Amino acid sequence: MDKIFLHGLKADTLIGVYEWERQQPQTLLIDLDIGLPPRRADDDDIGSTVHYGEVCEAVRNSLETRRFHLLETLAEHIASLILNDFPAAWVKVRLVKPGILPDVREVGVEIERGQPVE
């Protein structure tokens, strides 16, 4: 199982159940593990893999224009984005909303999704 990973991606978005949470963008920390498509060992072409720079740009751009109440919904959105727009076999999305609760370092959610089986 080959994968690429992006850990600690920072992205700002409006998110939260409560109105006060959605008054200004919050910075989320995003970890992504993305299953790579099969390829030859000597294939050195970026087009044969998942371009992690483009993944970062796509995630950030999407979060600038979308609003969410739940981290779970946001995680599903990111997973769908990656599976639909990149040649990913599967994706694990971990979202962290730091500092949202007193005396709790991290609050978050983690999901794993794969391409549908044909």
Side-chain angles (χ1 to χ4, degrees):
M1 168 178 62
D2 295 345
K3 68 179 178 180
I4 64 165
F5 62 89
L6 297 89
H7 292 174
L9 170 64
K10 293 181 181 181
D12 295 330
T13 194
L14 291 174
I15 187 165
V17 173
Y18 302 106
E19 184 64 34
W20 61 265
E21 288 182 284
R22 296 187 309 272
Q23 295 301 311
Q24 61 184 8
Q26 297 180 56
T27 300
L28 301 179
L29 300 175
I30 304 169
D31 292 343
L32 302 171
D33 293 331
I34 303 170
L36 295 175
R39 63 183 193 88
R40 294 186 336 263
D42 65 343
D43 185 350
D44 201 26
D45 180 12
I46 190 69
S48 300
T49 189
V50 175
H51 190 306
Y52 50 81
E54 291 179 1
V55 170
C56 286
E57 184 178 340
V59 169
R60 284 191 177 123
N61 287 343
S62 179
L63 296 188
E64 286 178 3
T65 60
R66 300 284 309 261
R67 306 296 177 251
F68 301 91
H69 288 130
L70 301 176
L71 284 175
E72 293 86 342
T73 306
L74 175 53
E76 290 286 353
H77 170 75
I78 292 172
S80 293
L81 173 77
I82 292 168
L83 292 172
N84 291 330
D85 294 355
F86 297 92
W90 55 267
V91 62
K92 179 165 62 171
V93 178
R94 182 175 186 266
L95 299 178
V96 173
K97 201 173 180 183
I100 195 67
L101 293 176
D103 300 323
V104 177
R105 185 184 64 186
E106 296 179 333
V107 172
V109 63
E110 182 175 284
I111 66 168
E112 292 185 46
R113 299 294 180 264
Q115 292 291 358
V117 177
E118 295 180 7

